[in-house]
């Protein structure tokens, strides 16, 4: 599947660029609401002309190095068949070192942790974005202060409640609304810059270096808030498959970065003239009559930014399930035309509960900002590490070039992460706890499935040998086709043996089907099915899917009709093994983790639903497995 940028007509590029504004840049585009304020919050950095210019210079060059150079120029090149994001990068990196098992396992662990931390980011981003927008109410009318948190919760509740209906209907407005938002950012900042053009001196990196050299400790503390200006940078890479490189780059260089720079420098110019405006420099840019309308626009922009992140959480979850990192979950498609528009109820309401807790517990964007940054900088660092291994082992570039291409970014990422560690006990623990919880679930599921597979292999019988033995004295054959789903090729599935043991019959035609998910996003129909005859009207079938494909076993098996396999929809039955996991004190994981895995396995969505099997044609036969 070609990335969208393959459509090179100007109209198509323009449409994709407009769409990218709403989806890709919603998060980073709403950072001006709180980022600069947090640098100077609570006297963290005194509001002096030298500090203002030094901070503005750090902001400009952070966006230039992290976003313009690292993500837009370098990371966007590391696509996995047109797809981006941490899961795609993880697949690229692990496949690049497939011949180094220990290194591959280490990268898998790192990538899994980065994916887990993403969920922590997914909790903080909507909470701080919407809360910072609604806080404009107390700037427009101080008496409304007590309504900030309730209004924020109402907005977030409405946002999560409508997820099950899909975003196709309102999605078309995301780009235009965000376009208006960026134009307003320019309109707010430009007059202040024009009134005090000396603020443009901060474009000179000497101010950033001077700030760091003269007051290294103050500058180091400031970096923990400066990084808030590039939160959402990962979205550029994650949404590569939806929009392609060209629209993402056009939107960044053509509008997003200029608008952000003008607004940040406008806030800086305001602070130079009115240091007391630090309580909320963004809303102080607007005249009093415009502040209330600005609150509504900012809320709309932050809702769009939150929606983009929620949709990304659904997509990442689906990909993690496909790669075997999470148990199967109930997944609903909200559009008959767009396969990427999905809704995962468990993830939706899990995020909602954690976001509500974050809003109520922290209570303000300033306190939430203390929790922000650690998750973002961790993911930025992990992406840089993965990129090195893709460059070195996947693309075979010289070691010196790989180190020089990623070493500087790694040093910067680690510096930002170290600065944010200062906020660990002030709230930074919150997304880390969420990330560690998700990582524990992922690791337990991965290792639990490996233990199950090992136990099944220990107890399994070779399929071809088993069939040969069965047909020495063949059982009764009944009309129709039986499809036995099996996790391992070449092994006799438990469902087959249970069927023979209890029903003492075999269908006229038998397919032993294994579903394989691969480290590429898409696999086309031309490579979907691999078939091997076993004799006696039996076939071994392997179905291949990418981690963004939707498994549909009946549709894939229909491709076999032209290859001599009879498949009458009304005469086909699907046999599944419904395994019951029994934790033991023997080998394997700690008992509490085995119990956790057993609970995850028991509550996973039905395999029949995940594989799109017709519910009236499915037969499940149970078996107990001790791990």
């Amino acid at each position: 599947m070609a990335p969208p940028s393959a459509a090179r007509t100007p109209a198509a590029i323009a449409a994709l660029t407009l769409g990218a504004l709403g989806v890709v840049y919603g998060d980073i585009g709403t950072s001006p609401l709180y980022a600069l304020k947090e640098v100077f919050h609570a006297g963290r950095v005194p509001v002096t002309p030298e500090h203002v210019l030094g901070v503005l210079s750090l902001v400009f060059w952070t966006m230039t190095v992290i976003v313009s150079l690292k993500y837009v120029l370098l990371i966007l090149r590391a696509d996995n068949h047109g797809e981006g994001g941490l899961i795609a990068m993880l697949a690229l990196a692990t496949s690049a070192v497939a011949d180094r098992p220990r290194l591959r396992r280490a990268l898998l662990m790192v990538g899994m942790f980065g994916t887990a931390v993403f969920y922590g980011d997914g909790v903080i981003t909507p909470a701080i974005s919407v809360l910072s927008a609604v806080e404009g109410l107390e700037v427009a009318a101080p008496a409304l202060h007590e309504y900030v948190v309730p209004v924020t919760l109402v907005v977030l509740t409405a946002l999560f409640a409508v997820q099950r209906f899909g975003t196709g209907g309102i999605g078309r407005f995301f780009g235009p609304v965000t376009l208006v938002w960026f134009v307003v950012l320019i309109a707010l900042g430009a007059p202040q810059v024009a009134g005090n053009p000396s603020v443009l001196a901060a474009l000179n990196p000497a101010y950033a270096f001077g700030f760091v050299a003269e007051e290294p400790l103050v500058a180091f503390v400031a970096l923990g808030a400066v990084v808030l200006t590039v939160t959402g940078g990962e979205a550029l890479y994650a949404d590569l498959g939806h929009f392609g490189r060209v629209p993402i780059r056009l939107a960044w260089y053509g509008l997003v970065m200029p608008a952000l720079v003008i607004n940040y420098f406008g806030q800086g110019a305001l602070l130079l003239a009115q240091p007391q405006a630090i309580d909320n420099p963004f809303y102080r840019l607007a005249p009093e009559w415009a502040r209330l309308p600005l609150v509504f626009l900012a809320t709309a922009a932050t809702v769009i930014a939150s929606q983009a992140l929620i949709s990304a959480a659904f997509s990442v979850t689906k990909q993690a399930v496909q790669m075997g990192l999470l148990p199967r979950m109930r997944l609903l498609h909200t559009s008959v035309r767009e396969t990427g528009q999905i809704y995962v109820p468990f993830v939706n309401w899990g995020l909602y509960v954690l976001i509500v807790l974050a809003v109520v517990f922290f209570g303000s964007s300033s306190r939430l900002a203390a929790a922000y940054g650690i998750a973002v900088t961790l993911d930025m660092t992990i992406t840089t590490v993965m990129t090195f291994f893709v460059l070195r082992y996947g693309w075979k570039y010289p070691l010196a070039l790989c180190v020089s291409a990623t070493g500087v970014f790694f040093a910067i990422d680690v510096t930002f992460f170290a600065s944010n560690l200062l906020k660990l006990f002030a709230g930074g623990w919150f997304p880390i706890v969420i990330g560690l919880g998700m990582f524990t679930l992922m690791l337990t599921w991965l290792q639990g499935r490996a233990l199950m597979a090992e136990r099944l292999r220990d107890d399994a019988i070779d399929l071809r040998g088993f069939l040969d033995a069965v047909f020495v004295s063949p059982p009764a054959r009944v009309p129709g086709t039986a499809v036995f789903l099996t996790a391992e090729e070449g092994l006799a599935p438990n469902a087959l043996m249970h069927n023979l043991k209890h029903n003492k019959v075999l269908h006229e035609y038998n397919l032993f089907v294994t579903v394989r998910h691969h480290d590429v996003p898409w696999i086309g129909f031309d490579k979907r099915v691999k078939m091997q005859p076993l004799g006696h009207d039996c076939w071994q079938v392997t179905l291949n899917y990418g981690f963004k494909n939707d498994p549909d076993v009946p549709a894939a098996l229909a491709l076999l009709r032209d290859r001599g396999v009879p498949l009458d929809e009304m005469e086909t039955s699907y046999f599944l093994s419904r395994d019951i996991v029994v934790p033991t004190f023997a080998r394997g994981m700690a008992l509490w983790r085995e119990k956790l895995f057993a609970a995850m396995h028991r509550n996973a969505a039905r395999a029949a639903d995940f594989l799109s099997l017709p519910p009236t044609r499915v037969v499940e036969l149970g078996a107990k497995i001790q791990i």
Side-chain angles (χ1 to χ4, degrees):
M1 178 176 176
S5 56
R8 293 294 182 182
T9 64
I13 293 294
L16 287 168
T17 302
L18 180 62
L21 286 177
V23 176
V24 177
Y25 294 111
D27 187 1
I28 197 171
T30 53
S31 295
L33 283 164
Y34 51 83
L36 204 62
K37 177 182 71 171
E38 294 312 315
V39 175
F40 298 97
H41 176 69
R44 187 181 290 120
V45 178
V47 185
T48 66
E50 294 78 13
H51 288 155
V52 170
L53 292 178
V55 166
L56 287 178
S57 189
L58 281 175
V59 167
F60 175 77
W61 287 102
T62 295
M63 287 196 296
T64 299
V65 174
I66 297 294
V67 183
S68 296
L69 298 182
K70 176 184 172 181
Y71 282 101
V72 177
L73 288 186
L74 176 62
I75 302 295
L76 285 185
R77 296 178 181 272
D79 68 286
N80 189 343
H81 298 266
E83 294 293 329
L86 199 52
I87 291 283
M89 180 69 83
L90 172 60
L92 274 178
T94 52
S95 61
V97 296
D99 57 339
R100 296 172 170 81
R102 295 181 66 179
L103 179 57
R104 185 182 185 279
R105 179 171 175 78
L107 286 178
L108 180 62
M109 294 298 103
V110 171
M112 281 173 53
F113 186 67
T115 303
V117 167
F118 164 81
Y119 289 96
D121 185 20
V123 170
I124 299 296
T125 298
I128 192 173
S129 298
V130 177
L131 190 54
S132 62
V134 178
E135 281 174 347
L137 288 173
E138 59 188 2
V139 177
L144 297 177
H145 169 75
E146 62 186 50
Y147 296 100
V148 169
V149 169
V151 170
T152 299
L153 294 177
V154 168
V155 171
L156 289 169
T157 300
L159 174 62
F160 281 89
V162 301
Q163 292 303 310
R164 64 191 180 96
F165 300 109
T167 60
I170 60 173
R172 67 174 71 96
F173 298 110
F174 285 3
V177 171
T178 312
L179 175 61
V180 172
W181 171 252
F182 283 116
V183 171
V184 169
L185 290 184
I186 295 172
L188 291 174
Q192 294 291 336
V193 175
N196 190 358
S198 62
V199 77
L200 295 174
L203 294 173
N204 186 343
Y207 282 88
F209 287 117
F211 181 31
V212 173
E214 293 175 12
E215 299 185 71
L217 291 179
V218 175
F220 182 70
V221 170
L223 288 178
V226 168
V227 77
L228 298 178
T229 62
V230 294
T231 56
E234 285 282 334
L236 276 77
Y237 182 47
D239 290 305
L240 175 61
H242 294 118
F243 301 99
R245 293 189 191 93
V246 173
I248 290 176
R249 287 171 174 167
L250 280 176
W252 174 252
Y253 292 120
L255 178 61
V256 177
M257 185 172 182
L260 292 175
V261 170
I262 290 171
N263 192 267
Y264 282 126
F265 275 60
Q267 292 185 44
L270 176 65
L271 292 178
L272 289 176
Q274 304 174 36
Q276 68 276 13
I278 192 55
D279 65 325
N280 202 316
F282 175 80
Y283 280 107
R284 297 294 180 192
L285 287 175
E288 289 189 17
W289 62 265
R291 286 174 185 165
L292 199 55
L294 185 59
V295 170
F296 291 109
L297 177 61
T299 302
T302 54
V303 164
I304 290 171
S306 301
Q307 176 60 63
L309 196 138
I310 294 167
S311 298
F314 294 160
S315 179
V316 166
T317 300
K318 176 188 172 184
Q319 294 172 30
V321 169
Q322 306 280 65
M323 292 186 67
L325 303 180
L326 285 173
R328 296 183 303 271
M329 297 185 191
R330 184 166 171 252
L331 186 151
L332 304 175
H333 288 272
T334 59
S335 171
V336 296
R337 291 176 296 180
E338 299 292 334
T339 58
Q341 291 190 18
I342 58 174
Y343 170 61
V344 186
F346 180 80
V347 174
N348 184 71
W349 294 112
L351 282 178
Y352 172 74
V353 169
L354 291 173
I355 288 170
V356 168
L357 288 175
V359 170
V360 173
F361 179 77
F362 290 97
S364 71
S365 62
S366 292
R367 293 185 65 192
L368 267 170
Y372 210 11
I374 288 185
V376 175
T377 51
L378 256 179
D379 273 347
M380 290 188 339
T381 305
I382 289 171
T383 298
T384 302
V385 171
M386 294 286 183
T387 303
F388 169 82
F389 288 98
V390 172
L391 293 176
R392 177 65 178 141
Y393 297 104
W395 298 353
K396 308 298 183 183
Y397 285 154
L399 178 61
L401 178 61
C402 297
V403 171
S404 60
T406 59
V408 173
F409 297 129
F410 179 76
I412 293 172
D413 292 339
V414 169
T415 302
F416 277 119
F417 175 65
S419 176
N420 275 278
L421 282 179
L422 297 175
K423 302 186 291 184
L424 182 63
F425 297 106
W429 55 268
F430 187 73
I432 293 297
V433 167
I434 296 173
L436 287 173
M438 285 301 303
F439 180 71
T440 300
L441 292 177
M442 287 182 171
L443 189 59
T444 299
W445 181 253
L446 188 70
Q447 293 179 341
R449 288 180 72 243
L451 289 172
M452 274 190 64
E454 182 182 349
R455 181 53 58 91
L456 286 171
R457 282 193 298 270
D458 290 343
D459 299 337
I461 301 172
D462 176 71
L463 177 60
R464 189 181 291 273
F466 179 77
L467 290 176
D468 290 341
V470 165
F471 284 107
V472 169
S473 179
R477 306 290 290 265
V478 296
T481 301
V483 176
F484 294 94
L485 278 299
T486 173
E488 294 284 341
E489 296 177 21
L491 300 182
N494 286 333
L496 169 65
M497 290 184 283
H498 282 297
N499 188 46
L500 286 171
K501 177 181 178 181
H502 296 289
N503 298 325
K504 298 179 175 54
V505 297
L506 198 64
H507 281 69
E508 187 177 2
Y509 306 102
N510 297 275
L511 301 178
F512 301 94
V513 177
T514 300
V515 176
R516 291 276 178 229
H517 293 282
H518 297 269
D519 291 344
V520 295
W522 306 100
I523 291 180
F525 286 110
D526 58 326
K527 299 179 181 178
R528 176 76 77 231
V529 182
K530 184 181 75 173
M531 183 179 70
Q532 179 182 2
L534 300 173
H536 312 289
D537 291 322
C538 298
W539 294 268
Q540 174 78 63
V541 178
T542 302
L543 304 182
N544 298 298
Y545 292 94
F547 58 77
K548 297 199 76 171
N549 286 126
D550 291 317
D552 189 331
V553 171
L557 293 181
L559 300 173
L560 296 176
R561 287 174 182 155
D562 295 333
R563 297 166 66 174
V565 179
L567 280 167
D568 184 340
E569 185 176 340
M570 299 306 297
E571 293 292 327
T572 301
S573 299
Y574 298 86
F575 290 83
L576 299 174
S577 295
R578 184 69 173 179
D579 300 319
I580 300 172
V581 176
V582 180
T584 67
F585 280 104
R587 58 179 180 170
M589 301 181 290
L591 185 61
W592 70 268
R593 291 185 63 203
E594 290 188 357
K595 290 182 177 180
L596 174 61
F597 173 73
M600 294 169 71
H601 188 273
R602 183 172 60 250
N603 291 289
R606 294 176 66 244
D609 296 332
F610 182 72
L611 300 173
S612 303
L613 303 182
T616 59
R617 312 296 304 174
V618 174
V619 179
E620 289 189 321
L621 299 170
K624 288 186 177 182
I625 299 178
Q626 292 186 338
I627 61 171

